[in-house]
Amino acid sequence: MSQQHPYIPATEAEEQDMLEVIGVRSFEELIKIIPPELRVNGELGLDPGCSEMEVSAELNRLAELNRPATTGVCFLGGGAYDHYTPEAVKAIAQRSEFYTAYTPYQAEVSQGTLQVMYEFQTLVCDLSGLDVANASLYDGASAAAEACSIALGATGREKILLPETLSPHIRLVIETYLQNRSSESVFVGSRDGRVDLDELAAKSEGAAGVVIQSPNVLGLVEDWSAARKALATEDTLLIAAADPLTLGIQESPGASGADIYVGESQSLGIPLSYGGPYLGLMAAKEKYIRRLPGRIAGRTVDQEGKPGFVMVLRTREQDIRREKATSNICTNQGLMALWATIYLSLLGKEGLRQIARLCFDKSQYLGRAITQLPGFELPFGYGYVKEFAVRTPVPVQELRLRAEKEGLFIGSVHWKGEDLMQLAVTEKRTLEEMDRLIDFLRQVA
Amino acid sequence: MNIPEDLKYTKDHEWARIEGDTAIVGITDYAQGELGDIIFIEFPNVGDAFDQGEAFGTVEAVKTVADLFTPLSGQIIAINSDLENAPGKVNNDPYSEGWMVKIQISNPGEVDQLLDATRYKDLIL
């Protein structure tokens, strides 16, 4: 402790002062409660300190070992996709009045932020076909977990059905969320890569809710309407999880009878960046509005009749309800919600549909081309939107490493004890890039 | 302060109007005044049964949320669903339009344990 360290500003005299205030004579006396056998005896074995320049050089060296998606052709999916971000989105979102916007507690200084939330909520309602939306959550998986909490609270039941076709990271977040409350998650199996509706029907008696993800972990579109019909009790909540981009060409959760919609919104032009920040969407039927976690913005008029935006229905959550809160989330993912709002506003309904359509057409092209190669097959057919699983003649992990050397990034999905190749095709992928992948696969097979 | 003579009261500021083997339940004028503008009431389901003193729902005001405790054991046989769209009726008319639930009394002996208007007045004044 005696040697003055350049990064630790306290001097020996200051340390002595602090010890005196605490009422001990030495550092040794301060820690005497820790038994000697539990202490590190001797030096910690730390390397000497580095200069700022050395640290910077080392970090750069480590950073260069990464292979960002931009250094190759990205067919990776599994919840995060290489979609295009229009420059205009970045330019508008990074305007200082948005980027450093004041947190919306004092309405008079945050009208712009509240207006964005309101518009975001309106867009999420339009996309989902449901009545009310909140101002976003941290990511799609936490939105799914919050939706399960709503189902448990609204029904007073304890059973949540989690089909096998749900992405494993969503399932893990749900199970982590629910582990400390009285609830039970029940597995529902699958048939041909989709939720087994007979098993769903059989297990749905007395269930608070079920989470059905479409496209699911294999990229396949699930039938929410059929799932709704399969549920034994009408008051079991159907929680529809979906990539908002694919809603451009899918029947909306609302029209399919879903009670709650949740989704990961990274697809809406939010860049891949080591897993975050991403954006969770949540919309629901109006009767659940008081159970929605996080923030909700509303539109009203002031004393003079001028329109204004406010936070509404706030007593329900942590600020005031404390131990009665239905969720401990008080905030929203503001900047990313703004980002998605700008993206959707610039694209419009038609633009979104076009991008979804491009993903669909291109991924269908790639899927069909791959099945022409000897040894490759699509075990679940063509009922996918932008991502699909492929059975390969060469072990997938080997294929991935070889592809990476060629600058082709491909993914894998573990399904019932088997590793399948997983490919996602966004609007960014060109014919030339897809043909490069096909050539590569032809050579290795 | 309006404390009708013909009602029974709890220390938690609920009132009960006993009509044969049913009780109509709400919160007192004092309680609504302390809470301020009431914006939401969370009701139980018709058919739910509660023991005396158990929370059967919550009342939410602008700045706080409070539990609603049942004055008497029994089963909920009706809820005042008018309050779902107009919770302010509890503020304006706590003893009539602002009633909350009707309970089928399962243990009539409990009625004697409730406070009468005089004793409730002593409690709050």
Side-chain angles (χ1 to χ4, degrees), chain A residues 169-249:
Chain A
H169 63 278
I170 298 178
R171 169 193 305 277
L172 276 171
V173 172
I174 294 174
E175 287 176 345
T176 304
Y177 248 78
L178 300 185
Q179 68 188 355
N180 288 322
R181 59 187 290 175
S182 48
S183 69
E184 173 203 10
S185 48
V186 173
F187 173 90
V188 180
S190 66
R191 198 185 290 165
D192 301 327
R194 291 184 175 85
V195 177
D196 183 335
L197 295 174
D198 293 332
E199 193 176 331
L200 177 66
K203 290 182 171 172
S204 65
E205 186 70 50
V210 58
V211 185
I212 308 245
Q213 185 190 354
S214 174
N216 65 23
V217 65
L218 298 166
L220 301 168
V221 174
E222 298 266 10
D223 189 342
W224 287 316
S225 300
R228 169 89 271 166
K229 287 191 195 97
L231 294 173
T233 30
E234 243 172 50
D235 50 0
T236 295
L237 273 71
L238 174 62
I239 300 163
D243 183 330
L245 191 79
T246 65
L247 291 179
I249 51 172

Side-chain angles (χ1 to χ4, degrees), chain A residues 302-315:
Chain A
D302 70 7
Q303 250 179 336
E304 293 158 11
K306 292 184 205 148
F309 298 91
V310 289
M311 301 253 258
V312 291
L313 301 163
R314 294 280 292 157
T315 49

Side-chain angles (χ1 to χ4, degrees), chain A residues 265-293:
Chain A
S265 198
Q266 183 270 332
S267 293
L268 302 180
I270 294 175
L272 292 166
S273 56
Y274 301 102
Y278 286 173
L279 173 64
L281 308 188
M282 177 178 275
K285 288 183 176 164
E286 189 172 0
K287 66 185 209 189
Y288 301 113
I289 192 166
R290 287 187 166 270
R291 295 187 181 275
L292 290 187

Side-chain angles (χ1 to χ4, degrees), chain A residues 25-46:
Chain A
R25 274 186 302 277
S26 64
F27 180 72
E28 196 55 34
E29 192 182 335
L30 179 69
I31 61 165
K32 70 168 185 258
I33 195 162
I34 302 169
E37 67 270 22
L38 296 181
R39 298 192 203 168
V40 175
N41 290 306
E43 295 296 310
L44 281 175
L46 294 175

Side-chain angles (χ1 to χ4, degrees), chain A residues 19-196:
Chain A
L19 291 169
E20 266 168 42
V21 169
I22 296 166
V24 293
R25 274 186 302 277
S26 64
F27 180 72
E28 196 55 34
E29 192 182 335
L30 179 69
I31 61 165
K32 70 168 185 258
I33 195 162
I34 302 169
E37 67 270 22
L38 296 181
R39 298 192 203 168
V40 175
N41 290 306
E43 295 296 310
L44 281 175
L46 294 175
D47 288 336
C50 295
S51 70
E52 181 179 316
M53 234 175 1
E54 285 168 319
V55 171
S56 184
E58 174 63 6
L59 291 178
N60 279 328
R61 187 188 69 78
L62 291 172
E64 276 162 23
L65 296 176
N66 287 322
R67 296 289 307 273
T70 47
T71 61
V73 183
C74 182
F75 291 98
L76 296 168
Y81 304 89
D82 185 31
H83 286 289
Y84 183 67
T85 308
E87 285 303 321
V89 176
K90 293 183 228 169
I92 299 171
Q94 289 175 8
R95 287 184 63 97
S96 62
E97 57 270 50
F98 285 137
Y99 214 64
T100 63
Y102 190 77
T103 193
Y105 291 111
Q106 293 167 5
E108 68 278 14
V109 292
S110 51
Q111 279 294 299
T113 304
L114 290 166
Q115 182 174 347
V116 168
M117 283 183 184
Y118 186 79
E119 291 180 6
F120 171 82
Q121 289 165 196
T122 307
L123 291 165
V124 177
C125 288
D126 283 351
L127 269 173
S128 63
L130 285 160
D131 308 322
V132 292
N134 70 10
S136 78
L137 292 159
Y138 306 133
D139 59 20
S142 59
E146 288 287 339
C148 292
S149 286
I150 293 176
L152 294 169
T155 59
R157 299 184 190 144
E158 298 188 347
K159 185 160 87 176
I160 291 284
L161 303 170
L162 299 180
E164 163 174 51
T165 59
L166 192 60
S167 296
H169 63 278
I170 298 178
R171 169 193 305 277
L172 276 171
V173 172
I174 294 174
E175 287 176 345
T176 304
Y177 248 78
L178 300 185
Q179 68 188 355
N180 288 322
R181 59 187 290 175
S182 48
S183 69
E184 173 203 10
S185 48
V186 173
F187 173 90
V188 180
S190 66
R191 198 185 290 165
D192 301 327
R194 291 184 175 85
V195 177
D196 183 335

